[in-house]
Amino acid sequence: MPVFFDEAKGIFHLQTLGSSYVIQLVRGYAAHVYYGKKLRQNSNLDGMLVHTGRASFSPSLPGDPSLSLDALPQEYPQYGTGDFRYPAYQVTLSDGTRITELLYRSHRIIQGKPALKGLPAVYVEQQDEAETLELELYDNYSGLVVTLSYSVFTNLDVIARSAKFVNTGQEEIQLGQMMSVSLDFPDHQFDSLYLPGAWARERHVVRKPLAPGITAIGSRRGASSHNMNPFFALLRPDASERQGEVYGFSLVYSGNFLAQAEVDQYGTTRFSMGIQPFDFGWKLQQGESFQSPEVVMVYSAEGIGGMSRTYHKLYRTRLCRGQHRDAERPVLVNNWEATYFHFNADKIEDIASAGAELGIELFVLDDGWFGHRDSDNSSLGDWYEDRRKLPQGLGDLAARVQGYGLQFGLWFEPEMVSPDSELYRAHPDWCLHVPGRRRTEARQQLILDLSRPEVQHYLYDRLSDLLSNVPISYVKWDMNRNMTEIGSAALLPERQAETAHRYMLGLYALLERITSQFPQVLFESCSGGGGRFDPGMLYYMPQTWTSDDTDAAERLKIQYGTSLVYPVSAMGAHVSAVPNHQVGRITSLAFRGDVAMSGNFGYELDLSKFTAEEKEIAKAQIAAYKRRRSLVQTGDMFRLKSPFEGQMTGWMFVSEDQSEALLFYYQVLAEPNAPIHYIKLEGLDPQRNYRLEGCEALYGGDRLMSAGLPLQLEGDFSSRVIHLHGC
């Protein structure tokens, strides 16, 4: 079993496949002892937690001058009782005081992994896949109970942590912050790794050493955001892609978040992650509870790559759900960059017809099909087809597309409303707003208040009506702005700080209802591209539009950074027209295709304008991807060369049984009189020979991984894809 308890010593020992996590009860406090490489269950853990006297400015616990909360590593530290580091939580009691003291009261060990009410979370399909420790901590003065949950996976180096607050006292309690995880490390010899960015250049990779003080990332935008992804890793300085200790932390949440590492005066590191406390509050009346989102912690002794492959497997198979989770994803064409808002049914049919000739499997109609939507200045919320563009309606258009053997997909932006819309004119109070203040518009739209049940019901009715009456196989669910004037007309004044989180709970409830009723529909999340690419959305939608930037050279960085946490099966990747609409760059159709094939492959251009040569290239790309997509979408990914470190990028996918592999190699800018480049492959069976597709020679897996494969690419924006088959 993965959770062991030594009652005599008050020690909990949590064991994953290759890691251990140790907690010890010290005078009622849940103290953190160890997190790292796996220890034997019967290892002697005595003496791992050292108490020592500190300077007079560090207060000690009564009766024991050697025990100071300011130095004790803790599982869920509190504010105001002697620990001056960043607390895991903070509350205000009815008498105005902010002091609580959570001490151990009980625990239970549960087979499997309980769901989190109203929140997305990783899950198990069989009870023996995980075991969950619930530590119940209690503050005697206020009646506050906090239950720390640790779900320990048996066959993966994964622990999922969350916290639940319950008010068992007589008076109300105001939550000001509650981190999902707080974890104290005994030293600060770490680099931080995180994924910042902006619209059209999401999830770039930043690595820098920790230093005294706080290294923090987060979002206050109402969404996980383009700017910072809810992921943070701590790496030993010698850790690389292939070796060394790495600790990953990924928050399963789609709203405001905070992640930070604090190095204190004693050289220890406190990491915490959870809902952003800025502009957050939650009132707990007697008997009420609050559940935090969960943080998925991954330990790897095999570098960043080992951490990534653990996240990939977990998120692909135990976060994503539904009948599309394990299914091959269709090759699609989206009309957005082909037509933008300016199309009619005949034009859409032309693109679908051209796509069918090439082997496309799905046509997606993007923005502009509803209301009077000729630009982004109107009609969001009015989810009725525009009969000017589609005289016979969506049903007729879908039938015409299906007549060419293609599935039909549709774009929505349900969370938004245009001031110029019938919905807004009927319900101007349904958007997020603050009375007496201006309503800031972005992209000429406002955000519907999804904390309100009536708004959720309206959106459910409109979407379910369309999905019930039109043969829609795919939905692209977009969200194109962040929150301002965060307030709700449906909440009392003292609860206005709850609005942003209640919005997320409302969104999750709507998504649960829609995706459950229409399991045959493949849902793809989008937020101006990658502005809400997070585990919370993947729970409901198994793939996300990776970025609005479709330039192949830029996509190398975006897709590389995204792959640190998220599986390739979650990434939408399309071939678009040149000059590229975001950066104006011209690259070959071959290069654009080779980049997009490292994801869920598709096209976003006018296929009816292809030349005869382009048609042949696209046919070959689509046929090749169909042969390989199972390997791309489910294989183990190994990153070989980083686009952040030079002009070359390389990655590969290896089947679980190591019988097949697919290598992608790219060059952005050519180098004159370049040296010969050898690329060392990974993940192969060293005892096996491999044949490179199109080549008769056999190469040993040991040679390919140790000596490498010489590869020369010619010219700017060049690429090569090599399929290897084990013999």
Side-chain angles (χ1 to χ4, degrees), residues 367-421:
D367 197 355
W369 58 266
F370 55 93
H372 294 277
R373 182 86 163 167
D374 296 322
S375 69
D376 61 6
N377 65 357
S378 73
S379 301
L380 289 173
D382 299 341
W383 300 109
Y384 302 89
E385 60 258 71
D386 183 351
R387 293 286 178 151
R388 298 172 306 149
K389 297 178 183 178
L390 307 173
Q392 305 303 315
L394 281 172
D396 172 74
L397 181 62
R400 292 164 72 172
V401 168
Q402 289 178 325
Y404 293 99
L406 276 64
Q407 301 174 65
F408 181 70
L410 196 61
W411 176 96
F412 292 95
E413 193 172 0
E415 299 165 64
M416 302 294 149
V417 63
S418 301
D420 181 10
S421 68

Side-chain angles (χ1 to χ4, degrees), residues 158-172:
V158 171
I159 300 175
R161 280 193 60 178
S162 64
K164 181 179 180 180
F165 287 69
V166 181
N167 181 3
T168 68
Q170 301 299 312
E171 304 292 337
E172 70 178 35

Side-chain angles (χ1 to χ4, degrees), residues 82 439 692:
R439 300 183 179 189
L692 280 57

Side-chain angles (χ1 to χ4, degrees), residues 3 21 72 90 148-149 271 302 309 410 448 452 479 490 646:
V3 178
Y21 191 106
L72 182 70
Q90 189 170 8
L148 305 181
S149 177
F271 177 81
E302 298 177 351
R309 286 184 288 279
L410 196 61
L448 288 171
R452 300 178 66 163
M479 189 279 285

Side-chain angles (χ1 to χ4, degrees), residues 89-93 97-100 144 165 173-176:
Y89 73 99
Q90 189 170 8
V91 300
T92 301
L93 306 181
T97 62
R98 287 94 58 213
I99 308 304
T100 55
L144 175 64
F165 287 69
I173 296 175
Q174 180 74 27
L175 299 182

